[in-house]
Amino acid sequence: MPLSFSLQTKEELARVKARHPCCRQAELVAFLRLGNLDGGQPGEETVLFTTPYPALARKVYSLAREFLACPVKVRNSRRQGKGRPVFRVVARARLKEIQDWLAGRAGVPEYPCCQAAYMRGAFLVTGSVNKPSGTHHLELIFPDAAMAGQMQGLMQQQELEPRLSRRQRGYVLYLKDSEQIIRALSLMGAYSAVLAYENVLIFKDMRNRVNRLVNCETANLTKTVETGLRQAENIRYLIATVGWDYLPPALREIAAVRLQHPEASLKELGEMLHPPVGKSGVNHRLRRLELIARQVRGQGREGYAPDDDLSRPRA
């Protein structure tokens, strides 16, 4: 079964190794502060982190070995009735010792690089992101308002504007804007996810542009056909009332072509004339025919004279 976009992103982030020790420590702090820290057996060892994902267990294990002054190991066991194993990162230290270590690193990191690492750790523990082809949404869940507020301030320092919402499962920080989500993924180091996100956005933009062009062309074609049919109807009316001989030669020529090709554009009609005529010339002749049709409809056959100035109605 293929992984969701959110899990693919976490798999990528679990393989990111921060360059500086301060950043790696900030990431471990996020894991321990937001994870499932458990005292385990009293006085002997502490379960630092529990996860069904081996890449995440390896990451916590390597960070804990680097910064905690105690032996660390990974245990795995299978849940009853399920095939996926559960990995537990265990430290041979009392829970109070781990909590004291965390208390000495209260608050959020000061430097931008450490803030990005802390955000990466928080996302790996509590975050999720929708696939880019769906509704744009990235969120982080926190157990209390204080921790959510700290992360909100950190993200704002990184030029992100998350919204805060209280739900039954805790306090949720979320982003809805696609550009903000891309920035957050980039800051955390999920560059493959960023590329996948941008590819989908580019595809959507191109599809929207094509749809707009198609709609515009369809509207223009519909307008051209409707205009051509109206002009052809006027010409047939003139032929039935005043006859061909009452029309000047130039108008007879364009009238004949329009009757044969009611769906043609002005440019196409002009190219059918001998000699060819430009769009403005064709438009002028057709407008004169429409004007004559209005005059005849208003005054009858006897009200039209071929020598009239056709640029204005008869008084």
Side-chain angles (χ1 to χ4, degrees):
M1 181 177 179
L3 295 177
S4 66
F5 181 77
S6 186
L7 288 179
Q8 289 177 7
T9 302
K10 288 189 175 185
E11 286 279 344
E12 180 183 5
L13 291 176
R15 294 191 294 269
V16 175
K17 183 175 182 179
R19 180 181 304 176
H20 305 293
C22 58
C23 299
R24 297 195 294 273
Q25 180 175 271
E27 196 168 359
L28 176 61
V29 169
F31 279 120
L32 300 183
R33 188 178 291 170
L34 299 173
N36 36 37
L37 193 64
D38 184 13
Q41 298 181 11
E44 293 186 6
E45 57 186 24
T46 299
V47 178
L48 302 177
F49 199 76
T50 303
T51 177
Y53 304 109
L56 195 51
R58 286 194 299 268
K59 188 175 188 68
V60 177
Y61 169 76
S62 63
L63 293 173
R65 284 195 59 186
E66 182 177 0
F67 294 103
L68 298 182
C70 59
V72 180
K73 57 185 176 181
V74 177
R75 294 176 180 169
N76 69 82
S77 60
R78 294 186 180 275
R79 295 179 181 175
Q80 293 182 356
K82 295 186 178 181
R84 175 178 290 182
V86 176
F87 300 91
R88 292 181 176 84
V89 183
V90 181
R92 186 171 293 278
R94 296 178 180 178
L95 178 61
K96 182 66 166 56
E97 297 176 35
I98 305 299
Q99 291 173 334
D100 289 342
W101 184 87
L102 281 175
R105 293 152 183 84
V108 296
E110 177 182 358
Y111 301 107
C113 59
C114 298
Q115 291 176 348
Y118 185 83
M119 186 165 62
R120 178 170 60 247
F123 179 83
L124 282 169
V125 178
T126 69
S128 64
V129 59
N130 287 0
K131 60 182 180 180
S133 59
T135 304
H136 302 311
H137 186 84
L138 181 148
E139 70 177 28
L140 299 166
I141 304 174
F142 298 90
D144 56 64
M147 297 180 71
Q150 287 181 338
M151 178 59 74
Q152 187 175 33
L154 181 151
M155 295 176 72
Q156 288 172 345
Q157 292 182 51
Q158 296 290 333
E159 300 180 7
L160 297 171
E161 295 297 332
R163 295 181 182 180
L164 179 61
S165 175
R166 184 175 182 178
R167 301 178 189 170
Q168 290 183 347
R169 51 181 175 166
Y171 292 81
V172 179
L173 285 178
Y174 62 92
L175 299 171
K176 288 286 189 181
D177 180 73
S178 59
E179 296 299 325
Q180 289 269 294
I181 293 174
I182 288 174
R183 175 165 178 77
L185 293 174
S186 179
L187 286 170
M188 291 186 291
Y191 301 117
S192 295
V194 168
L195 289 176
Y197 219 102
E198 289 180 335
N199 285 339
V200 171
L201 292 181
I202 290 172
F203 176 78
K204 282 185 176 181
D205 182 62
M206 291 297 297
R207 183 177 60 189
N208 291 338
R209 289 187 182 185
V210 169
N211 288 339
R212 285 194 297 269
L213 288 174
V214 170
N215 292 338
C216 183
E217 290 295 330
T218 301
N220 290 337
L221 181 59
T222 301
K223 182 178 179 181
T224 298
V225 172
E226 290 177 350
T227 301
L229 293 174
R230 186 188 72 247
Q231 292 168 347
E233 181 62 27
N234 286 331
I235 292 169
R236 281 192 288 268
Y237 172 78
L238 288 175
I239 295 171
T241 53
V242 301
W244 284 103
D245 294 339
Y246 283 85
L247 298 177
L251 299 189
R252 285 201 300 268
E253 183 183 20
I254 192 64
V257 174
R258 174 51 91 189
L259 286 176
Q260 294 175 2
H261 305 280
E263 78 290 345
S265 65
L266 296 180
K267 180 180 179 182
E268 292 169 340
L269 290 175
E271 294 172 349
M272 298 175 190
L273 301 177
H274 303 284
V277 177
K279 289 173 59 176
S280 60
V282 172
N283 185 54
H284 178 68
R285 295 184 186 187
L286 291 171
R287 289 174 67 87
R288 290 180 65 188
L289 286 170
E290 289 193 277
L291 177 58
I292 295 171
R294 287 199 300 270
Q295 290 177 339
V296 173
R297 283 190 172 96
Q299 301 175 6
R301 175 172 177 171
E302 64 280 0
Y304 167 70
D307 296 332
D308 285 344
D309 179 4
L310 301 177
S311 64
R312 65 176 185 275
R314 287 170 55 83

